[in-house]
Amino acid sequence: MEQINIQFTLFSAFYSPLISTMSGGFLEAEGLKPEWSVSPPGVSAIDALVKGKAHVVQSALSQAFTPLNEGREPPVVHFAQVNEMDGFFLTGRKADPDFSWKKLEGAEVVMFKGGQPLAMFKYACHRAGIDFDKIKAITPGAAADIDKAFRDGQGQYVQQQGPFPQQLQADGIGHVVAQVGKQIGPCGFSSLAATREWLKTDMAKAFTRAYRKTRAYMTATPAAEIARAEKPYFPDIDEAVLADCIATYQKLGCWTPHVEITEPAYQATLDVFEYNGLIKKRYRYDQVCAAPPGSC
Protein backbone atom coordinates (compact mmCIF):
# COMPACT_ATOMS: atom_id res chain seq x y z
CA MET A 1 0.00 0.00 0.00
CA GLU A 2 1.21 3.49 -0.89
CA GLN A 3 0.23 6.26 1.54
CA ILE A 4 -1.76 9.15 0.11
CA ASN A 5 -2.11 12.29 2.22
CA ILE A 6 -5.45 14.09 1.95
CA GLN A 7 -6.41 17.35 3.62
CA PHE A 8 -9.83 18.92 4.02
CA THR A 9 -10.47 22.64 4.27
CA LEU A 10 -13.69 21.87 6.13
CA PHE A 11 -14.85 18.45 7.26
CA SER A 12 -18.57 17.82 6.89
CA ALA A 13 -20.94 15.39 5.23
CA PHE A 14 -21.14 17.84 2.34
CA TYR A 15 -17.74 16.49 1.27
CA SER A 16 -18.88 12.88 1.34
CA PRO A 17 -17.59 12.16 -2.20
CA LEU A 18 -14.06 12.53 -0.82
CA ILE A 19 -14.80 11.00 2.59
CA SER A 20 -16.33 7.94 0.92
CA THR A 21 -13.20 7.26 -1.09
CA MET A 22 -11.89 6.25 2.33
CA SER A 23 -14.97 4.86 4.09
CA GLY A 24 -16.09 2.92 1.02
CA GLY A 25 -12.70 1.28 0.52
CA PHE A 26 -12.19 2.70 -2.97
CA LEU A 27 -8.69 4.05 -2.31
CA GLU A 28 -7.49 0.83 -0.73
CA ALA A 29 -8.80 -1.09 -3.75
CA GLU A 30 -6.38 0.99 -5.83
CA GLY A 31 -3.48 0.25 -3.49
CA LEU A 32 -3.62 3.58 -1.66
CA LYS A 33 -3.65 3.92 2.12
CA PRO A 34 -5.27 7.25 3.05
CA GLU A 35 -4.05 9.51 5.82
CA TRP A 36 -6.30 12.55 6.28
CA SER A 37 -6.30 15.83 8.17
CA VAL A 38 -8.17 19.13 8.36
CA SER A 39 -6.37 22.40 7.72
CA PRO A 40 -5.90 24.52 10.88
CA PRO A 41 -8.25 27.50 11.33
CA GLY A 42 -7.15 30.42 9.19
CA VAL A 43 -4.79 28.29 7.10
CA SER A 44 -5.65 27.27 3.55
CA ALA A 45 -5.34 23.61 2.66
CA ILE A 46 -3.51 24.85 -0.45
CA ASP A 47 -0.54 25.48 1.87
CA ALA A 48 -0.33 21.75 2.56
CA LEU A 49 0.08 21.12 -1.17
CA VAL A 50 2.71 23.82 -1.57
CA LYS A 51 4.69 22.50 1.40
CA GLY A 52 4.41 18.88 0.25
CA LYS A 53 2.37 17.79 3.27
CA ALA A 54 -0.61 16.65 1.18
CA HIS A 55 -1.07 15.08 -2.24
CA VAL A 56 -4.66 16.21 -2.75
CA VAL A 57 -6.89 18.63 -0.87
CA GLN A 58 -10.56 19.56 -0.71
CA SER A 59 -10.70 23.20 -1.67
CA ALA A 60 -12.67 25.65 -3.82
CA LEU A 61 -12.08 27.25 -7.20
CA SER A 62 -12.14 30.64 -5.49
CA GLN A 63 -8.81 29.83 -3.82
CA ALA A 64 -7.19 30.54 -7.19
CA PHE A 65 -8.69 34.01 -7.44
CA THR A 66 -6.47 35.53 -4.73
CA PRO A 67 -3.15 34.96 -6.52
CA LEU A 68 -4.71 35.78 -9.89
CA ASN A 69 -6.00 39.09 -8.52
CA GLU A 70 -2.42 39.81 -7.44
CA GLY A 71 -1.05 39.01 -10.90
CA ARG A 72 0.44 35.67 -9.82
CA GLU A 73 -0.07 32.19 -11.23
CA PRO A 74 -1.84 29.92 -8.71
CA PRO A 75 0.58 27.33 -7.27
CA VAL A 76 -1.93 24.49 -7.76
CA VAL A 77 -4.82 23.55 -10.03
CA HIS A 78 -8.34 22.24 -9.42
CA PHE A 79 -8.84 18.95 -11.26
CA ALA A 80 -12.14 17.49 -10.03
CA GLN A 81 -15.39 18.66 -8.57
CA VAL A 82 -16.64 17.67 -5.14
CA ASN A 83 -19.90 19.61 -5.03
CA GLU A 84 -21.56 21.20 -8.02
CA MET A 85 -23.90 23.28 -5.88
CA ASP A 86 -23.84 25.33 -2.67
CA GLY A 87 -24.59 22.99 0.21
CA PHE A 88 -25.61 25.46 2.92
CA PHE A 89 -29.01 25.44 4.60
CA LEU A 90 -31.03 28.11 6.36
CA THR A 91 -32.51 26.92 9.62
CA GLY A 92 -35.14 28.82 11.60
CA ARG A 93 -36.38 28.55 15.16
CA LYS A 94 -39.75 27.23 14.02
CA ALA A 95 -41.04 25.12 11.17
CA ASP A 96 -42.17 27.41 8.37
CA PRO A 97 -43.62 25.71 5.28
CA ASP A 98 -44.47 29.17 3.90
CA PHE A 99 -40.92 30.53 4.29
CA SER A 100 -39.80 33.15 1.80
CA TRP A 101 -36.39 34.79 1.62
CA LYS A 102 -38.07 38.15 2.21
CA LYS A 103 -38.44 37.11 5.85
CA LEU A 104 -34.67 37.45 6.26
CA GLU A 105 -34.84 41.23 5.85
CA GLY A 106 -34.78 42.72 9.35
CA ALA A 107 -34.05 39.32 10.92
CA GLU A 108 -30.98 38.26 12.87
CA VAL A 109 -29.08 35.57 10.97
CA VAL A 110 -26.07 33.71 12.38
CA MET A 111 -23.71 33.27 9.43
CA PHE A 112 -20.18 33.12 8.12
CA LYS A 113 -18.32 36.42 8.16
CA GLY A 114 -16.47 36.08 4.87
CA GLY A 115 -15.03 33.85 2.19
CA GLN A 116 -17.01 31.76 -0.25
CA PRO A 117 -19.88 31.00 2.18
CA LEU A 118 -20.66 34.72 2.48
CA ALA A 119 -20.14 35.43 -1.23
CA MET A 120 -22.51 32.64 -2.20
CA PHE A 121 -25.07 33.70 0.41
CA LYS A 122 -25.04 37.30 -0.82
CA TYR A 123 -25.51 36.09 -4.38
CA ALA A 124 -28.40 33.85 -3.28
CA CYS A 125 -30.04 36.86 -1.64
CA HIS A 126 -29.58 38.78 -4.89
CA ARG A 127 -31.18 35.95 -6.86
CA ALA A 128 -34.02 35.82 -4.33
CA GLY A 129 -34.64 39.54 -4.83
CA ILE A 130 -33.89 40.67 -1.27
CA ASP A 131 -31.53 43.27 0.19
CA PHE A 132 -28.69 41.56 2.04
CA ASP A 133 -27.85 44.79 3.84
CA LYS A 134 -31.20 44.61 5.63
CA ILE A 135 -30.18 41.37 7.33
CA LYS A 136 -28.80 41.69 10.86
CA ALA A 137 -25.73 39.51 10.55
CA ILE A 138 -24.27 37.69 13.57
CA THR A 139 -20.80 36.30 12.80
CA PRO A 140 -19.33 34.42 15.79
CA GLY A 141 -16.62 32.56 13.88
CA ALA A 142 -16.18 29.08 12.39
CA ALA A 143 -18.78 26.36 11.87
CA ALA A 144 -18.72 25.08 15.47
CA ASP A 145 -18.96 28.65 16.81
CA ILE A 146 -21.97 29.33 14.58
CA ASP A 147 -23.68 26.17 15.76
CA LYS A 148 -23.05 27.01 19.41
CA ALA A 149 -24.30 30.57 18.99
CA PHE A 150 -27.61 29.41 17.54
CA ARG A 151 -27.97 26.69 20.18
CA ASP A 152 -27.32 29.34 22.84
CA GLY A 153 -30.24 31.39 21.55
CA GLN A 154 -28.62 33.87 19.17
CA GLY A 155 -30.35 34.64 15.87
CA GLN A 156 -33.68 33.85 14.31
CA TYR A 157 -32.01 31.94 11.48
CA VAL A 158 -28.64 30.24 10.93
CA GLN A 159 -26.56 29.45 7.81
CA GLN A 160 -24.90 26.03 8.04
CA GLN A 161 -23.67 23.05 6.05
CA GLY A 162 -25.00 19.59 6.80
CA PRO A 163 -25.13 17.72 9.05
CA PHE A 164 -25.36 20.66 11.52
CA PRO A 165 -28.91 21.65 10.44
CA GLN A 166 -30.15 18.06 10.52
CA GLN A 167 -28.74 17.64 14.03
CA LEU A 168 -30.51 20.86 15.12
CA GLN A 169 -33.76 19.39 13.83
CA ALA A 170 -33.15 16.08 15.57
CA ASP A 171 -32.49 17.96 18.81
CA GLY A 172 -35.68 20.01 18.45
CA ILE A 173 -33.77 23.30 18.30
CA GLY A 174 -34.39 24.38 14.72
CA HIS A 175 -36.11 23.56 11.45
CA VAL A 176 -34.59 23.77 7.97
CA VAL A 177 -36.52 26.36 5.96
CA ALA A 178 -34.42 26.76 2.79
CA GLN A 179 -31.45 25.48 0.79
CA VAL A 180 -29.10 28.15 -0.49
CA GLY A 181 -28.05 26.06 -3.49
CA LYS A 182 -31.51 26.14 -5.01
CA GLN A 183 -31.29 29.93 -5.35
CA ILE A 184 -27.90 29.83 -7.08
CA GLY A 185 -28.12 26.72 -9.22
CA PRO A 186 -25.22 24.54 -10.41
CA CYS A 187 -21.75 26.05 -9.96
CA GLY A 188 -18.18 25.06 -9.18
CA PHE A 189 -18.65 25.22 -5.42
CA SER A 190 -16.00 22.89 -4.02
CA SER A 191 -13.23 20.97 -5.69
CA LEU A 192 -10.15 18.79 -5.42
CA ALA A 193 -6.80 20.50 -5.93
CA ALA A 194 -3.24 19.30 -6.43
CA THR A 195 0.04 20.40 -7.97
CA ARG A 196 0.47 20.01 -11.73
CA GLU A 197 3.48 17.78 -11.04
CA TRP A 198 1.49 15.35 -8.88
CA LEU A 199 -1.27 15.09 -11.49
CA LYS A 200 1.27 13.44 -13.83
CA THR A 201 1.98 10.59 -11.38
CA ASP A 202 0.64 7.06 -11.23
CA MET A 203 -0.70 7.84 -7.75
CA ALA A 204 -2.83 10.62 -9.21
CA LYS A 205 -4.25 8.25 -11.82
CA ALA A 206 -5.01 5.63 -9.15
CA PHE A 207 -6.67 8.24 -6.96
CA THR A 208 -8.82 9.45 -9.85
CA ARG A 209 -9.92 5.90 -10.69
CA ALA A 210 -11.02 5.49 -7.08
CA TYR A 211 -12.74 8.87 -7.10
CA ARG A 212 -14.70 8.10 -10.28
CA LYS A 213 -16.01 4.90 -8.67
CA THR A 214 -16.87 6.81 -5.50
CA ARG A 215 -18.93 9.41 -7.37
CA ALA A 216 -20.97 6.66 -9.01
CA TYR A 217 -21.43 5.08 -5.58
CA MET A 218 -22.64 8.38 -4.10
CA THR A 219 -25.59 8.59 -6.48
CA ALA A 220 -26.48 4.89 -6.72
CA THR A 221 -26.23 3.84 -3.05
CA PRO A 222 -28.92 4.34 -0.38
CA ALA A 223 -28.04 7.18 1.98
CA ALA A 224 -28.35 4.89 5.02
CA GLU A 225 -25.66 2.60 3.63
CA ILE A 226 -23.28 5.50 2.93
CA ALA A 227 -23.94 6.93 6.40
CA ARG A 228 -23.24 3.59 8.06
CA ALA A 229 -19.82 3.43 6.39
CA GLU A 230 -19.04 7.09 7.18
CA LYS A 231 -20.25 7.04 10.80
CA PRO A 232 -16.76 6.48 12.31
CA TYR A 233 -15.74 9.81 10.76
CA PHE A 234 -18.62 11.57 12.54
CA PRO A 235 -18.59 10.30 16.14
CA ASP A 236 -20.71 13.20 17.44
CA ILE A 237 -23.46 12.93 14.81
CA ASP A 238 -26.36 10.47 15.06
CA GLU A 239 -26.25 7.94 12.22
CA ALA A 240 -29.89 8.65 11.30
CA VAL A 241 -29.09 12.37 11.15
CA LEU A 242 -26.08 11.67 8.92
CA ALA A 243 -28.25 9.54 6.62
CA ASP A 244 -30.86 12.31 6.44
CA CYS A 245 -28.17 14.83 5.51
CA ILE A 246 -26.68 12.58 2.81
CA ALA A 247 -30.12 11.86 1.35
CA THR A 248 -30.83 15.59 1.19
CA TYR A 249 -27.60 16.27 -0.69
CA GLN A 250 -28.30 13.40 -3.08
CA LYS A 251 -31.71 14.91 -3.86
CA LEU A 252 -30.31 18.44 -4.18
CA GLY A 253 -27.95 17.27 -6.92
CA CYS A 254 -24.62 18.34 -5.42
CA TRP A 255 -22.95 15.05 -6.30
CA THR A 256 -23.39 14.70 -10.05
CA PRO A 257 -21.65 11.55 -11.33
CA HIS A 258 -19.05 13.25 -13.54
CA VAL A 259 -15.66 14.06 -12.06
CA GLU A 260 -14.68 16.96 -14.32
CA ILE A 261 -15.17 20.62 -13.40
CA THR A 262 -17.29 21.76 -16.32
CA GLU A 263 -16.92 25.08 -18.10
CA PRO A 264 -20.54 26.11 -17.28
CA ALA A 265 -19.99 25.37 -13.58
CA TYR A 266 -16.78 27.41 -13.63
CA GLN A 267 -18.49 30.34 -15.35
CA ALA A 268 -21.29 30.27 -12.77
CA THR A 269 -18.70 30.60 -10.01
CA LEU A 270 -17.19 33.58 -11.81
CA ASP A 271 -20.70 35.11 -11.88
CA VAL A 272 -20.91 34.86 -8.09
CA PHE A 273 -17.49 36.37 -7.41
CA GLU A 274 -17.92 39.05 -10.07
CA TYR A 275 -21.21 40.10 -8.44
CA ASN A 276 -19.41 40.39 -5.10
CA GLY A 277 -16.56 42.43 -6.58
CA LEU A 278 -14.02 39.78 -5.60
CA ILE A 279 -12.32 39.23 -8.96
CA LYS A 280 -10.55 41.78 -11.14
CA LYS A 281 -11.50 40.00 -14.38
CA ARG A 282 -13.11 36.79 -15.60
CA TYR A 283 -10.10 34.46 -15.54
CA ARG A 284 -9.73 31.70 -18.12
CA TYR A 285 -10.75 28.18 -17.19
CA ASP A 286 -7.23 26.85 -17.77
CA GLN A 287 -5.79 29.38 -15.30
CA VAL A 288 -7.72 27.64 -12.51
CA CYS A 289 -8.72 24.15 -13.65
CA ALA A 290 -7.15 21.07 -15.24
CA ALA A 291 -8.52 17.80 -16.58
CA PRO A 292 -8.57 14.84 -14.18
CA PRO A 293 -5.59 12.48 -14.58
CA GLY A 294 -6.18 9.74 -17.13
CA SER A 295 -9.05 11.56 -18.83
CA CYS A 296 -7.13 12.34 -22.04
Side-chain angles (χ1 to χ4, degrees):
M1 285 283 180
E2 187 176 12
Q3 182 172 307
I4 182 169
N5 298 319
I6 298 170
Q7 187 166 106
F8 293 79
T9 299
L10 295 171
F11 193 84
S12 81
F14 186 46
Y15 306 108
S16 284
L18 182 54
I19 297 169
S20 285
T21 62
M22 302 183 289
S23 65
F26 296 102
L27 289 175
E28 289 192 355
E30 292 289 343
L32 299 176
K33 179 183 178 182
E35 290 290 332
W36 67 278
S37 61
V38 180
S39 60
V43 179
S44 170
I46 299 298
D47 289 352
L49 293 176
V50 173
K51 294 176 180 178
K53 295 181 179 179
H55 296 104
V56 60
V57 302
Q58 170 264 312
S59 184
L61 302 183
S62 56
Q63 285 292 325
F65 299 155
T66 298
L68 286 169
N69 282 340
E70 296 172 352
R72 298 184 290 112
E73 180 180 346
V76 304
V77 288
H78 300 258
F79 68 95
Q81 60 150 326
V82 180
N83 296 290
E84 208 168 30
M85 194 173 289
D86 185 300
F88 282 86
F89 299 83
L90 281 174
T91 303
R93 293 285 173 191
K94 299 178 181 179
D96 187 359
D98 298 320
F99 174 81
S100 72
W101 282 65
K102 194 70 176 177
K103 293 182 179 181
L104 297 181
E105 293 186 348
E108 293 182 346
V109 181
V110 186
M111 65 174 70
F112 284 80
K113 186 176 183 178
Q116 180 165 286
L118 179 61
M120 290 279 176
F121 186 63
K122 284 185 174 181
Y123 190 70
C125 289
H126 164 67
R127 292 289 295 268
I130 69 167
D131 186 348
F132 174 83
D133 291 334
K134 292 183 179 179
I135 295 173
K136 299 175 182 176
I138 299 172
T139 56
D145 303 311
I146 287 171
D147 189 65
K148 183 178 186 303
F150 191 74
R151 286 177 177 273
D152 289 346
Q154 295 187 54
Q156 295 159 264
Y157 299 95
V158 60
Q159 171 206 20
Q160 293 176 301
Q161 275 184 358
F164 283 106
Q166 290 77 22
Q167 191 66 60
L168 286 177
Q169 285 194 148
D171 295 341
I173 295 171
H175 299 267
V176 173
V177 295
Q179 295 172 337
V180 178
K182 288 184 176 180
Q183 287 296 329
I184 300 171
C187 65
F189 188 85
S190 53
S191 56
L192 298 181
T195 64
R196 292 184 185 274
E197 292 74 23
W198 182 79
L199 291 178
K200 299 174 184 177
T201 66
D202 289 340
M203 178 190 282
K205 293 177 181 178
F207 171 85
T208 304
R209 288 194 298 269
Y211 191 60
R212 288 188 186 279
K213 293 172 185 175
T214 308
R215 292 201 71 87
Y217 160 85
M218 294 307 302
T219 56
T221 307
E225 185 176 331
I226 297 172
R228 186 161 52 250
E230 286 190 4
K231 182 63 177 73
Y233 294 84
F234 296 94
D236 299 326
I237 300 296
D238 296 339
E239 187 172 318
V241 169
L242 186 58
D244 178 36
C245 175
I246 290 170
T248 301
Y249 281 137
Q250 286 177 322
K251 185 177 180 181
L252 183 60
C254 297
W255 303 329
T256 42
H258 62 271
V259 171
E260 296 78 8
I261 300 166
T262 68
E263 179 77 34
Y266 174 71
Q267 293 298 330
T269 301
L270 289 182
D271 291 343
V272 173
F273 281 80
E274 187 175 52
Y275 170 79
N276 282 274
L278 297 174
I279 53 175
K280 292 186 175 180
K281 58 185 285 189
R282 294 182 71 90
Y283 300 109
R284 297 190 319 272
Y285 176 90
D286 63 3
Q287 290 179 282
V288 177
C289 304
S295 61
C296 299

